[in-house]
Structure formats: structure tokens, C-alpha cells
Amino acid sequence: MAAVFNIRCLGFAVLIVVVGVLTSRDNGVSCQQQGCEGDIQGLISQCAQYVLKEGPKTPPSQGCCDVVKKADVPCICQHVTPAIEALVSVEKVIYVADYCGKALPRGTKCGSKH
């Protein structure tokens, strides 16, 4: 029981941090102002548990894939900061995108990964 509670708390904490980072202004321009399409908050709420650094790589839910399919993943990847990478596994992000049918084009940079 305690392990499940800790994972949920960690997931919620990551959700709060990622929402804050993605919606905050960096030099006066937010991710959405840069033209990244998709439901950023939906991505976070539906997919956060599949991209946390902690835990195994697991296939995402249909709800997560539904949101990923509507997102401009390469654009969002351009805005992955070291603060986000401290909590989120970019390798898992790439895995989830691929699993959901939105594989990143070859050579795309996502955070610190190519």
C-alpha cells in the first residue's frame, strides 16, 4: 500500500513540476506560443506515469495514446529542459511516442537526446 501511495505522490509531483515548466514563460515565450499543438495538460495527466524516470518502461494506455496522436511531439521535445529531464525519462518519452504511432523523425532532438 505504501509503495502505491508513494508512486502516486511522485506522479502528482512530476505533474505539477512539468505543468509549471511547460506553461511558464521562458524569455517571455511559452511552449504553446511557439506553435506546439496538442493538449499539453492532457499529455501530462494521461502520460506522466509512463515517462517518469522511476519504474519500468510500460506500454501507455489508450488515453495516453489518444492525446499523443494529437500532439506535436517534435515541437514539445524542443522545450524539454534539464529540469524536466531530472524527473522524466526522455527515452520513455520516445518509446511512448513510437508506441502510440507518433515516432519522432530520425535526428530529432528531444531534450538532451537525439
Side-chain angles (χ1 to χ4, degrees):
M1 281 299 231
V4 172
F5 179 75
N6 287 338
I7 290 171
R8 286 187 181 156
C9 286
L10 177 61
F12 183 71
V14 168
L15 173 66
I16 297 301
V17 170
V18 174
V19 167
V21 171
L22 287 178
T23 59
S24 70
R25 295 177 183 258
D26 181 27
N27 295 324
V29 181
S30 74
C31 184
Q32 289 180 327
Q33 289 172 327
Q34 286 290 327
C36 295
E37 295 184 17
D39 179 3
I40 302 293
Q41 291 182 330
L43 279 171
I44 296 165
S45 67
Q46 293 295 316
C47 302
Q49 67 189 31
Y50 305 106
V51 298
L52 292 174
K53 278 194 169 191
E54 297 295 320
K57 188 186 301 183
T58 58
S61 67
Q62 185 62 50
C64 174
C65 283
D66 290 345
V67 178
V68 168
K69 289 176 183 175
K70 296 175 185 173
D72 185 348
V73 179
C75 182
I76 293 167
C77 275
Q78 292 175 7
H79 300 280
V80 173
T81 65
I84 292 171
E85 282 193 76
L87 301 170
V88 172
S89 165
V90 174
E91 290 178 13
K92 287 182 183 179
V93 168
I94 294 167
Y95 167 75
V96 167
D98 186 48
Y99 185 93
C100 294
K102 289 282 281 204
L104 294 169
R106 195 173 186 94
T108 300
K109 185 176 182 194
C110 193
S112 63
K113 306 278 187 208
H114 284 273

